[in-house]
């Protein structure tokens, strides 16, 4: 899971700043590394480990002049937290300069890489982005952009939403299944392509529309056009963008994320009511659905937990071994709000269950009489192979246990998940246009081969 | 405004970790520098500029062994952001080792310093903490601790809540007016003294009680006792701890901060109702009172704004000159929630008014039909001289303008502040026991001389 | 001009340390970046900008376990001081892992790169090492190592002394003209290949012998063998290794560097005697030849100048604008030694002449009666295209001016260069086996096309 | 052992640069920390751990404007390598601003500190400089500068050469015994006071003269004057400045350091001749005396050892445990020069003997037939308590062993030290005006109490 950006800006000095602002707004999509490639006098690339605000200084931005750029923030899916894997990936070939920022995951990465290796290709990194760069680069040698993207699409399996800097042309492309989002905005400065609309807002631009699955958006010589590259029987928009990942102030494929989460809360209230004194979120991801639940149920919305806002990506608790002591550093209970009360807690989802159990325990110790846990999604039963990393770091509690077992595990008085129907209603997108694989185990593409370590 | 901590821990290896956790929970009270002094084989001091998690590593903590410690997080009140001003301040004298962590502000600092200089004293820093150290150190030479604290109290004017490490004794002391909070907790590991109870929670300890104004808490040889040092005609607890500064999950002088803010919201609803479609906070400081307002008014609580959680202390927006573009980086509007709606916005207070105006503008642009602004405190009309830095950085809009003028300035359709009575009711502490100086211009101590730049 | 290393070590933990020590001894060959690739469980690469001692810590070394390794220190020949250009360059292909460390310069780099681009190859860096990696990698797919090296040799024009890590095999290879040195040593730990024998000494190993031009040294499964890969009509060992670049304690192609420089001094004394009171080096590069000159002439060796030993690679003199003041920071005159004396100064060579003029001025101001300048090489009249960067940074004063003009420029009372014959005598290698291009303008390979910027 | 500087400069922008250059030239006197205090609008202090070139950037220098300044480089005498001990030490008192840079060591530090503590003084550091600051500060309150310095002198025992910044007055002061050097220069920019004359040279100024023991140099309102503050029966100039510590291009108390070392070499040749084939220095400290020895003896000067010039202050050899391997990193033998030869090695002094033994071993292994070791000073038999740190880190081999025993220890064929008479002749200063305590065990002041840990 990453955030990507493409910018065309009339003012060569402004381009890196626009890109910076957009990346900063997408920081929640990846905190491990950040980078941008800017096409001015040649293509200049700058990337490093760390947050956007740590990687870029005014001095660095001022050295990256040009009209076109792409940017990337990376989420560490594996333990491989190395500068070599930072993006964009930029190369030169007979075609000229090619830089690629990728959000997604190729399920046939290993086969493609083997194929390319057999063909004599030489790899500098371990990332699937290099496979994309190599294929694209070879297609571009003898084909126009549209054909090259179409050929690429036939070859790649999995999710791949891309921004490309091809010499000074900026391109956004979304794979035909459209797993990962991409949208386009226009401002006084020029154009912006970004993973989420909040990035468009952040630079004072207006959303034009989402890039459709299988569609490319091409900004060439200051002109923007959309091109249909590849059709698909079936769209496959990742439902977890709505449930958890995207920022609530983004609009994805026409659906307002905040509204979806609010609906989820309301639906949950209808599906799984409870006699409680207050409705409380597990902050921050449960906040919006809690408000929806409270409104629908008529029960008061009141916070039970305060999250320490300084718990960040790089936060390592010294002396982790003193686990007993360190538990409460991240969240504290508002004892006064829960003491003697029947509390309903809502989180967006449950992955391993460990955090949920700790939270229930904290609230219980603070005197809550009853704790009813509600989850804003159906149980996650299968891993995702399309770029959201739920599986690799931990086992999915719902893949093996019944809801009742999980309830007992997390020690809640009641536990209810959102139904799949309820989710679909809340999102407001047709079932056949959504990826629901992690909830249903029905994968939109064959993934047997894909067991990425 | 700073955060202070004192720890006695049975386990010499654990002490620095307990202190770290507590400081981490008080990070909101100061992000500029962090430090701790630990008494083991001699007193070891470590402090640096930056967040708690940046200043201390496991390696550094492991070198700070001992049973007793004090800690400090500093908020930069002036431009003087220098390591020299970081705390604790630690010295050696005939008495032995003395380390001091100070939260507050001495209004007679200049006179005291002049007096000490005339007496031949030599100053290494520009901070009023050094004055405290010098006086205390000289009193301790010929007096017992209680007498020394009592003499110190007679000398100092202003606010001074302290934690002290006197050789291996840990002391907490709160000036007789009690401006700044201090409380004591007990855990399995030993004892903890801290600015706010959330720090006690964070280390798994239980709140014993607040230190009373004029009272000291002394931990010596593993035993804790309270000592009344100085009486006072008049308590003077800073009301802004409840309104804004403290963490909502803290309990200060027996009053739950979250509850106070919630009450503020309800009182506001009663005092200044409005015909609106939704009640929204200016995040994060307006959140709790918004919930209270919503409950009391029966109007739905719904977020209008999303705050980028990566906007931090050190966040400098590159290219600030592009102000037009950078405005929206910190907050984005949930257009769908406000479009065509009558919105009630609540913030805890208004200082300069600049942010409020920008926010109203953002929400208006997003299509809000009406914007009604409510403020969870009476107008701030006078600067604070007791350690909350509202005055020095900016002018107070309410010191010169009427509410109607301010309303016009921030371009809201209506504007209402909480009444003083309403505030007192919400806090639930007697007027004579509170400092309200910044709201009433009536200062509890003479401050003419105090115009600290 | 760079330094390269290859190591095979029986003890997997020791390998990175051996490599580190060897690189540290070759630090004078490149101070810009340092790196090593170690083959253990897979090939691990670590490289960064800076000195060897800055790039590697004990912690990093301890993570690089394995039996085989190569290393590199880089000298910044162009302004392109970027991490992307740091070496070794490591890739993966169907062949497996390939890492390359390169000392030299390809004169047909642009053509080869164009050829490879036409062939569809994609470049990640701007360095000629990537061309070597790509060619080698493709040859290795269908050929054994010896054939691949032979094919590579036919393709490359210019200088290329290499160490390779091919999976866990360590290879050293020297191009058939043998511009840049390479030698092999054996120690208790295993084997070491290095640019200079001082690196072999530094790890307590014994020099086996130099790698011959066109020869490879291959360490496979703990066994070392030499293989003749390519013959050549003509050897072309860089004479400037002896004159200036190599460490005086190295032995290159059987010739002791210190001895050569000492001989140069003696020959100079015979060719260009002078009636002087003392013979002084321009430190450090003139030291050895000064001693030789003194011995031959019978004049006393006595220092005239002291070089500040803290003037380092990263030394930037703040306030360079105050040039008048900053001149004397790097060297100071021993006034007492030169006052009223006839001084003979010796430096290894003159490139731009600026430093020489300043030095003569300093010594003159200190009261020297006469200053006779002697140069331990013939005039440098043409740029080097084989990896010693004399030309790009500055103009060669001798390319346009006569010796008499240069004498006037640097304001010496007399000036004499070593004759070419004298140089050849001092080195003791046959003229036809040396590169002398920068001194004679006769290039051993066509370089018209090579004007690398 | 430290380096100190004082500057008065007509141009407020140039002052910090002059100070920087001077400190840079004194870097050999201390590599642990560097600092300067500049008096412009108030006194600004900047200091940090590290080399001069690491501590100061152009940006920092440009913020330190003013006409007067003092500076300091610190040598870590104890393990206490902490920023708290960096100098100058700057305080404020009724007198105004006082900043002190100190080179020396107080033997009655503990008593003075105890006295001041009893008097109620409070200490922020563990350095004897704070004692000086406190005493001076108190004397200045009621006395003029000359009287204050005179009072200070009566109080302090040991060595204390100081530069002071008293508001905007610059003062240099040398204790009446004159252990540590201090000299004054004049340039176009103004005046400079420095530990060694090489600093005066480095800023293009001319040496006026040395500050005499017991004398102060005072620069006030742009005018410089010398004042005799205190007389003394006995001067006590540290002979080790000539033997080892000072830069060879400095002139101290009228004696040229290079000349002294050269004389030492000649005297050694006369006192302890040897039938050898070459005379070689242990670099760098043995270089000058080797040249003198060679000239006197008529034996050829030729280097036997090359010192790696990148072995610096911060050089930690990773994997020190592999001692066998790491020995040769610092020095390498020129085998060709020593093989089959009778080698005479000269170093300035022998402290522990460990390095000498290793060097003899290296030269022996390289084939030397005989190794004759000569030392440019008499045996060091007692520790120094006046600021040169020979004793604390290691035991003195000559304090317990005879010359013959040491010879056997270091495995030389012969060993000879310079005689005391020879040393006195070489230095050319009367015995009664020199400190020779570490060579004679006769201390010029009582030091029983001084066993500083
Ligand atoms: N700026 C923001 N404001 C509010 N919510 C955000 C913001 N950025 C991301 N989020 C939301 O925060 C949630 C994740 O936060 P949280 O639950 O606190 O962390 P965790 O990932 O540990 O569960 C996601 O639902 C995401 O949509
Ligand atoms: N961990 C926390 N969780 C929630 N609120 C907090 C936390 N720490 C501090 N606060 C509250 O945050 C508010 C300040 O935040 P905010 O309004 O976002 O920033 P600003 O100071 O810029 O107005 C204060 O009211 C404080 O009580
Ligand atoms: N460790 C060493 N000891 C002595 N000389 C060295 C060492 N390393 C490199 N050299 C020699 O130093 C010379 C370059 O140093 P110097 O003349 O001081 O610098 P510059 O390159 O500025 O002229 C070269 O001749 C090189 O052979
Ligand atoms: N710039 C310089 N040039 C030559 N010698 C110097 C310089 N700076 C200091 N020295 C001398 O170097 C000697 C110390 O160097 P060296 O012997 O290499 O190190 P060590 O202190 O390890 O013995 C001292 O005698 C000192 O006078
Ligand atoms: S499997 Fe789940 S997380 Fe992955 S793309 Fe599909 S819906 Fe999204
Ligand atoms: S003036 Fe205001 S902010 Fe200051 S202490 Fe009093 S109530 Fe608190
Ligand atoms: S041109 Fe000169 S420097 Fe270059 S390889 Fe030939 S001899 Fe060496
Ligand atoms: S004891 Fe030795 S080193 Fe110390 S001051 Fe005296 S002569 Fe110098
Ligand atoms: Mg969450
Ligand atoms: Mg706020
Ligand atoms: Mg040189
Ligand atoms: Mg030495």
């Amino acid at each position: 899971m990453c955030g990507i950006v493409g910018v065309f800006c009339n003012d060569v000095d402004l381009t890196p700043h626009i890109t910076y602002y957009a990346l900063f707004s997408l920081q929640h999509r990846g905190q491990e590394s950040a980078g941008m490639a800017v096409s001015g006098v040649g293509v200049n690339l700058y990337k490093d480990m760390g947050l956007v605000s740590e990687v870029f200084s005014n001095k660095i931005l001022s050295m990256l002049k040009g009209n076109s750029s792409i940017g990337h923030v990376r989420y560490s899916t594996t333990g491989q937290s190395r500068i070599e894997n930072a993006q964009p990936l930029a190369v030169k070939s007979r075609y000229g300069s090619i830089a690629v920022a990728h959000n997604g995951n190729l399920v046939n990465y290993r086969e493609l890489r083997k194929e390319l290796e057999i063909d004599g290709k030489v790899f500098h990194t371990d990332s699937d982005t290099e496979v994309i760069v190599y294929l694209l680069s070879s297609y571009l040698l003898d084909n126009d952009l549209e054909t090259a993207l179409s050929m690429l699409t036939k070859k790649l399996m999995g999710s791949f939403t891309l921004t490309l800097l091809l010499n000074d042309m900026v391109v956004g492309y979304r794979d035909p299944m459209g797993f990962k989002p991409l949208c386009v905005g226009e401002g006084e400065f020029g154009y912006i392509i970004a993973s989420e609309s909040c990035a468009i807002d952040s630079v004072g631009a207006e959303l034009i529309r989402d890039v459709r699955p299988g569609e490319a958006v091409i900004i060439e010589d200051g002109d923007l056009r959309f091109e249909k590259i590849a059709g698909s029987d079936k769209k496959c928009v990742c439902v977890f963008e709505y449930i958890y990942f995207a920022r609530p102030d983004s609009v994805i494929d026409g659906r307002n994320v905040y509204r979806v989460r609010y609906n989820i809360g309301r639906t949950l209230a209808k599906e799984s009511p409870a006699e409680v004194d207050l409705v409380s979120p597990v902050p921050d991801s449960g906040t919006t659905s809690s408000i929806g639940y409270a409104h629908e149920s008529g029960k008061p919305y009141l916070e039970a937990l305060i999250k320490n806002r300084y718990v960040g990506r790089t936060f390592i608790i010294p002396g982790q071994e003193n686990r007993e002591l360190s538990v409460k550093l991240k969240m504290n209970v508002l004892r006064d709000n829960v003491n003697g009360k029947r509390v309903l807690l809502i989180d967006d989802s449950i992955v391993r269950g460990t955090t949920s159990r700790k939270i229930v325990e904290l609230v219980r110790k603070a005197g809550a009489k009853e704790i009813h846990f509600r989850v804003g999604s159906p149980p996650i039963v299968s891993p995702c192979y399309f770029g959201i990393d739920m599986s690799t770091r931990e086992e999915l509690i719902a893949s093996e246990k019944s809801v009742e077992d999980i309830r007992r595990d997390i020690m809640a008085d009641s536990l209810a998940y959102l139904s799949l129907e309820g989710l679909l209603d809340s999102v407001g997108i047709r079932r056949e246009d959504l990826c629901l694989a992690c909830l249903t185990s029905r994968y939109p593409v064959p993934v047997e081969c894909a067991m990425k370590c």
Side-chain angles (χ1 to χ4, degrees), chain A:
Chain A
M1 181 63 66
C2 303
I4 60 175
V5 165
V7 168
F8 175 85
C9 176
N10 307 309
D11 176 347
V12 291
D13 292 319
L14 199 51
T15 308
H17 291 94
I18 297 275
T19 314
Y20 176 94
Y21 301 153
L23 288 178
F24 183 71
S25 314
L26 298 176
Q27 186 75 81
H28 62 290
R29 297 184 73 86
Q31 292 95 46
E32 192 192 62
S33 68
M36 69 173 79
V38 182
S39 176
V41 187
V43 167
N44 283 301
L45 174 70
Y46 194 84
K47 55 185 177 182
D48 209 344
M49 306 308 286
L51 296 174
V52 175
S53 59
E54 293 164 353
V55 168
F56 294 102
S57 64
N58 241 325
K59 197 175 150 200
I60 287 165
L61 291 181
S62 71
M63 293 174 344
L64 298 167
K65 283 185 207 305
N67 288 113
S68 317
S69 80
I70 63 171
H72 191 271
V73 286
R74 184 169 186 268
Y75 180 80
S76 174
T77 43
T78 72
Q80 294 289 24
S81 164
R82 291 167 46 194
I83 178 70
E84 275 82 7
N85 292 324
Q87 298 197 25
L89 191 58
V91 303
K92 275 177 202 140
S93 77
R94 177 153 55 88
Y95 172 83
S97 271
I98 300 177
V100 175
H102 174 213
N103 178 22
N105 192 47
L106 301 187
V107 298
N108 61 339
Y109 162 61
R110 284 164 187 282
E111 292 135 84
L112 291 174
R113 176 147 172 178
K114 198 161 290 170
E115 223 173 82
L116 286 162
E117 282 182 0
I118 286 168
D119 192 40
K121 285 286 182 304
V122 153
F123 287 85
H124 293 240
T125 76
D126 287 322
S127 84
D128 54 5
T129 308
E130 197 173 3
V131 161
I132 296 177
V133 167
Y134 280 8
L135 289 172
L136 182 63
S137 156
S138 85
Y139 298 146
L140 279 171
L141 290 184
D142 309 308
N143 302 281
D144 61 16
L145 173 62
E146 287 81 352
T147 314
L149 286 176
S150 160
M151 291 167 81
L152 185 69
T153 306
K154 288 198 186 91
K155 203 79 182 165
L156 304 183
M157 201 176 287
S159 69
F160 46 103
T161 296
L162 309 169
T163 52
L164 312 173
L165 188 62
L166 304 173
N167 295 318
D168 55 5
M169 197 193 332
V170 183
V171 179
Y173 182 57
R174 197 171 169 192
D175 67 70
M177 309 200 77
F179 289 98
K180 298 288 119 201
L182 196 68
C183 56
V184 185
E186 176 168 16
E188 282 178 31
F189 62 84
Y191 295 108
I192 173 166
I193 307 171
S195 293
E196 292 185 35
S197 65
C198 68
I200 295 176
D201 297 339
S202 78
V203 298
E206 295 289 325
L207 177 66
I208 300 179
R209 67 166 172 84
D210 288 78
V211 178
R212 297 194 185 110
E215 190 182 50
V217 54
I218 300 165
I219 314 175
E220 204 174 1
D221 301 329
D223 292 328
L224 180 145
R225 69 178 197 274
F226 290 94
E227 293 285 346
K228 187 163 163 55
I229 301 297
S232 149
D233 320 334
K234 182 175 186 318
K235 271 201 284 182
C236 219
V237 172
C238 169
V239 77
F240 253 89
E241 289 282 346
Y242 297 104
I243 293 171
Y244 169 75
F245 212 83
R247 247 174 65 169
D249 50 326
S250 285
V251 178
I252 294 182
D253 287 330
R255 309 300 301 167
N256 189 293
V257 174
Y258 192 94
R259 181 61 41 191
V260 168
R261 292 184 190 168
Y262 182 82
N263 290 345
I264 283 173
R266 295 189 65 168
T267 312
L268 259 180
K270 282 184 244 166
E271 289 182 1
S272 307
E275 268 314 300
V276 293
D277 301 311
L278 63 152
V279 177
S280 298
V282 175
D284 295 327
S285 48
T287 301
T288 313
S289 42
S290 297
I291 295 172
Y293 193 106
H295 287 180
E296 180 64 32
S297 65
K299 309 288 183 210
Y301 172 84
L302 202 65
E303 291 162 287
L305 296 153
I306 292 294
K307 187 172 177 182
N308 186 325
R309 49 165 76 177
Y310 298 96
V311 173
R313 175 188 54 95
T314 56
F315 180 65
I316 291 140
I317 300 177
Q320 274 287 28
E321 59 280 12
N322 307 306
R323 216 165 281 219
E324 281 312 292
L325 285 164
S326 66
V327 183
K328 296 180 165 177
L329 278 183
K330 299 195 180 176
M331 290 211 201
N332 198 9
V333 188
L334 291 160
R335 177 185 297 260
D336 196 48
N337 287 2
V338 303
N339 191 11
K341 302 282 172 52
R342 296 166 303 172
V343 181
L344 188 127
L345 285 175
I346 306 189
D347 205 350
D348 65 288
S349 55
I350 297 181
V351 180
R352 278 198 307 172
T354 339
T355 308
S356 307
R357 180 172 44 227
K358 279 187 201 159
I359 284 166
V360 170
E361 195 187 327
L362 277 177
V363 175
R364 184 86 67 193
K365 268 199 187 161
K369 231 165 51 190
E370 292 174 24
I371 300 170
H372 300 274
F373 211 99
R374 296 294 174 268
V375 186
S377 66
I380 306 175
V381 292
S382 294
C384 170
Y385 296 113
F386 311 109
I388 292 191
D389 179 37
M390 311 172 145
S391 57
T392 56
R393 44 181 170 161
E394 44 216 348
E395 349 150 27
L396 299 164
I397 192 172
S399 72
E400 309 222 317
K401 296 200 175 171
S402 71
V403 173
E404 173 54 18
D405 284 352
I406 298 170
R407 185 200 63 72
R408 216 177 298 121
D409 253 41
I410 69 170
M411 300 187 299
D413 295 297
S414 81
L415 168 66
Y417 283 90
L418 183 67
S419 71
L420 193 58
E421 290 317 308
L423 174 62
L424 293 171
D425 282 357
S426 305
V427 176
I429 294 183
R430 296 182 318 159
R431 182 188 199 118
E432 49 270 46
D433 290 342
L434 284 175
C435 178
L436 300 161
C438 51
L439 306 173
T440 62
S441 301
R442 260 167 288 143
Y443 289 93
V445 294
V447 292
E448 308 85 280
C449 49
M451 305 307 163
K452 227 193 128 184
C453 57

